[in-house]
Amino acid sequence: MAETEQAAESGAAEDEAAPAAKGKLKLIIAAVGVVAILGGGAGGFFFFRHHGEEQQAEAPPPKPPAFIEIPDMLVNLAGLPGERVQYLKVKLTLEVKDEKQVEAIKPNLPRVTDLFQTYLRELRPIDLNGSAGLFRLKEELTRRVNAAVEPNQVSAVLFKEIVVQ
């Protein structure tokens, strides 16, 4: 009987040691996990903070665009026979990316003016109604000027003044 009591006591001691060992193991794993999460967060913070500063420091300031003035144009708009003749007066400016393109485009300005005049004479007054009409006009003029000055590129055609009479 003494052996069974000793066996029971040693078994009880082992049962108490097993939960204590499991509890310590869980505590160690939890502590390692918390340290890993905090370390990863701190490392990520410093990485992205310094990485963002490097990108901002490397970006050069953008160059301001250059502009080319187009001579004022006055054209009569297309209309039905017997209708009152309406006129369109337009002042335009071309926007290009840099000053080098200005010198390359200037010799082509007579061609650009001719393309604009022939296109504008085909328009009807209803084509210019509203902001959508002016947007379509701007896009069409940009497309035509880019075809005329091709290897160079015009970013936009800007309206300085547009009057329909």
Side-chain angles (χ1 to χ4, degrees):
M1 188 159 161
E3 290 180 7
T4 57
E5 285 179 12
Q6 284 181 349
E9 286 178 12
S10 67
E14 287 178 8
D15 289 339
E16 290 176 8
K22 287 183 183 178
K24 286 184 181 180
L25 182 62
K26 286 182 184 179
L27 183 62
I28 292 172
I29 291 174
V32 169
V34 168
V35 169
I37 289 172
L38 291 176
F45 172 75
F46 287 113
F47 174 75
F48 287 118
R49 184 174 149 214
H50 292 298
H51 185 65
E53 289 175 1
E54 290 172 3
Q55 286 181 349
Q56 292 175 358
E58 291 176 8
K63 293 181 182 178
F67 299 99
I68 304 171
E69 296 288 327
I70 301 289
D72 297 355
M73 289 184 255
L74 179 65
V75 297
N76 57 330
L77 297 173
L80 297 174
E83 281 187 346
R84 169 175 84 90
V85 177
Q86 289 187 308
Y87 295 96
L88 172 68
K89 181 179 179 182
V90 183
K91 290 183 182 181
L92 301 170
T93 302
L94 304 178
E95 180 182 346
V96 294
K97 293 198 186 291
D98 57 14
E99 198 65 38
K100 289 185 248 177
Q101 289 183 341
V102 171
E103 298 306 318
I105 291 175
K106 277 191 177 180
N108 292 323
L109 282 182
R111 179 178 292 129
V112 170
T113 302
D114 178 58
L115 287 171
F116 285 177
Q117 290 262 345
T118 55
Y119 175 71
L120 293 173
R121 288 183 186 276
E122 294 176 12
L123 293 176
R124 299 169 296 181
I126 197 165
D127 294 334
L128 301 173
N129 284 346
S131 61
L134 291 178
F135 181 76
R136 284 190 301 267
L137 176 62
K138 183 183 281 197
E139 292 298 313
E140 185 62 30
L141 293 176
T142 303
R143 188 183 68 77
R144 288 175 184 267
V145 74
N146 281 327
V149 298
E150 195 164 3
N152 296 307
Q153 185 77 19
V154 172
S155 302
V157 173
L158 307 173
F159 292 124
K160 288 177 68 177
E161 182 180 343
I162 184 162
V163 178
V164 178
Q165 243 180 353

